[in-house]
Amino acid sequence: MTSLHITRVRRRGLGVAAAAAGLFATLLTAGPAVATPDPGDAPAKKKGLSTSQQAEARAAIENGEIPGVDEIVHSKNIEHLVNIPKDAIKGTNSDLAFQGEYAFAGNYDGFRIFDISNPKAPKTVSQVLCPGSQNDISVSGNLLFLSTDSSRSDNSCTSTSQPATEKSSWEGMKIFDISDKSNPRYVAAVETACGSHTHTLVPGGRNVYVYVSSYSPSETFPDCKPPHDGISIIKVPRRAPEKSAVVDFPVLFPDGGNPGAPTNPGVSRTTGCHDITVLPSKDLAAGACMGDGIIFDIEDPERPRVIDRVQDNVNFAFWHSATFNQKADKVVFTDELGGGSAATCNAATGPERGADGIYDITGKGDQRKLVFRSYFKIDRHQADTENCVAHNGSLIPVKGKDIMVQAWYQGGISVWDFTDSAKPEEIAFFERGPLSTTTMSTAGSWSAYYYNGYIYSNDMAKGFDVLKLNDKRTDGAQRVRLNELNVQTQPDYRR
């Protein structure tokens, strides 16, 4: 176990063309964003706890078992450099992307661009108001992509929420030109079936392909009817993004996927994918698809082929995301038990639920198989007021080792080594104490990613954090420099 270093910190408190007028560098108001009512990443309303639960949380703080409200605790080998609170964009912070000396931070109300040329003092370059949960974000060249997975009145950035039962409602992909980081321009929109909960970029020369993950269809939704057993593929011409269009909807689960309850109680029924990670250098992808985990061939990006598929009907409730190791002979899948809004990092839940599942990839070509090896879950128990479960992370590119940094919502940030698939271990961590000892409200790190020598985190409530990892086991990663990083489009660090 790593030793603790405690820092006490108290915090003070439509078209596309028509939408462009609202996209100025800094916007001072932000409309509410509507979360999808489905499992996975949906912010929950504050929930009061019982008197006994509140007493337990207070006692745990007094006994030193968990940090106090707004207290920061971290291992000796992590340094917290800076926190940048939310500013004009007030919604829930979501995913991150990177390009050069810029970080792009998604938010349910839009996105924010930071200049990180000095990681100790990031500066806001622009903020764009464009509500539409969950605004999953990625960048490629001069283009920025933003997912909308809430039913909107139209595709503009001034849209309002509207029931998905309305035929005129819109959900899908928004595309911005970011050649001028201080003034992003909204240039295209593509509607996709069931919206876009997350998306993944697959580079293709003159074009970039976007794999759109969405789920939870209903017979009452005109644009999202079952079966919904695949992904939308958007082809985006780099020089003419206004011509972007869906080119296919490949079926990944011809048998319908995991049936969920009552056949498999406590497991999500597969009605699409939550997230996909691609490794273009290997023409390989891994899909976390609600009740199923898959790997598939993407040699032809418009025609992906499933190679193998696994289920865990004992401990995995919701297959959420995936990360390859550097050799592409392992995949880490995450289980978002409780949809990201429940307290699952406690003794009652145990070490195998709401955890990571580590799978070896054996065999070659179409004979490759996913073989389960072990689970990893942080062993620092959290209060019943803290939403905590495995969430978004990235590799730390250490030669010959498999090490990643990962967000755990209010469980904080964990750095862990899975070089031995059967014996993963945590080597560093950072976390804040609960927001409250009386109510449950969603907060904590949504994404924690390593980029060019630093760890960047987007905390749903507290804002943008920058951390420095000082450990001889990871020092070699500091020599690796990237010009662009979308974590779900994994680079080949071995080149």
Side-chain angles (χ1 to χ4, degrees), residues 118-451:
N118 179 1
K120 295 181 180 180
K123 297 178 181 178
T124 298
V125 177
S126 59
Q127 298 187 64
V128 173
L129 175 65
C130 196
S133 68
Q134 56 188 10
N135 278 342
D136 192 48
I137 194 168
S138 59
V139 294
S140 182
N142 288 330
L143 300 178
L144 180 147
F145 300 85
L146 209 61
S147 285
T148 298
D149 191 32
S150 61
S151 183
R152 312 298 298 180
S153 56
D154 55 51
N155 66 4
S156 75
C157 284
T158 55
S159 67
T160 57
S161 61
Q162 183 169 287
T165 52
E166 295 277 345
K167 175 61 179 172
S168 63
S169 295
W170 186 92
E171 299 180 64
M173 182 63 55
K174 297 183 176 107
I175 305 173
F176 294 77
D177 184 316
I178 53 169
S179 51
D180 179 357
K181 304 294 189 296
S182 67
N183 187 26
R185 294 186 304 107
Y186 187 5
V187 295
V190 180
E191 187 171 15
T192 55
C194 300
S196 175
H197 194 69
T198 66
H199 68 269
T200 304
L201 303 186
V202 183
R206 295 179 180 177
N207 305 301
V208 58
Y209 291 92
V210 186
Y211 287 180
V212 175
S213 296
S214 56
Y215 51 90
S216 291
S218 169
E219 290 289 356
T220 65
F221 300 160
D223 299 319
C224 180
K225 289 181 177 291
H228 185 76
D229 46 17
I231 58 174
S232 298
I233 299 179
I234 300 173
K235 184 177 181 179
V236 181
R238 292 185 182 275
R239 295 184 178 180
E242 68 279 1
K243 296 181 180 179
S244 301
V246 174
V247 292
D248 202 1
F249 186 88
V251 173
L252 303 179
F253 301 96
D255 66 350
N258 197 318
T263 304
N264 297 316
V267 178
S268 295
R269 181 169 67 94
T270 299
T271 59
C273 290
H274 179 277
D275 212 344
I276 291 170
T277 293
V278 297
L279 192 55
S281 64
K282 299 289 186 182
D283 291 328
L284 192 62
C289 304
M290 302 182 73
D292 294 88
I294 61 174
I295 53 174
F296 51 101
D297 182 291
I298 59 168
E299 182 176 7
D300 182 345
E302 292 189 25
R303 294 172 179 80
R305 296 185 301 105
V306 174
I307 298 172
D308 194 30
R309 168 181 154 196
V310 289
Q311 297 178 354
D312 180 346
N313 295 319
V314 176
N315 289 314
F316 258 50
F318 188 88
W319 296 67
H320 176 276
S321 52
T323 303
F324 289 103
N325 69 335
Q326 295 186 65
K327 293 182 180 179
D329 59 7
K330 299 175 190 174
V331 181
V332 174
F333 288 104
T334 67
D335 173 23
E336 196 182 44
L337 175 68
S341 60
T344 68
C345 296
N346 51 29
T349 304
E352 296 181 340
R353 300 177 64 237
D356 295 312
I358 305 167
Y359 286 76
D360 285 349
I361 301 176
T362 63
K364 296 181 180 180
D366 287 352
Q367 302 306 310
R368 284 173 286 191
K369 297 293 182 183
L370 290 164
V371 180
F372 173 78
R373 296 303 306 277
S374 67
Y375 296 105
F376 171 78
K377 186 175 181 180
I378 58 173
D379 60 3
R380 290 166 283 107
H381 287 165
Q382 309 295 308
D384 285 339
T385 56
E386 294 183 279
N387 60 303
C388 176
V389 74
H391 212 241
N392 293 352
S394 76
L395 286 184
I396 298 178
V398 180
K399 187 176 182 180
K401 296 287 186 179
D402 296 326
I403 298 175
M404 69 179 292
V405 59
Q406 185 175 8
W408 289 77
Y409 288 127
Q410 286 196 70
I413 296 165
S414 175
V415 179
W416 58 288
D417 187 326
F418 62 104
T419 306
D420 183 340
S421 304
K423 297 180 179 179
E425 63 172 340
E426 184 175 73
I427 63 175
F429 70 89
F430 168 92
E431 69 166 291
R432 290 182 168 90
L435 281 185
S436 169
T437 58
T438 59
T439 58
M440 160 69 79
S441 56
T442 52
S445 180
W446 178 292
S447 299
Y449 298 148
Y450 182 92
Y451 178 69

Side-chain angles (χ1 to χ4, degrees), residues 50 111-112 195:
S50 67
F111 63 93
R112 188 174 184 179

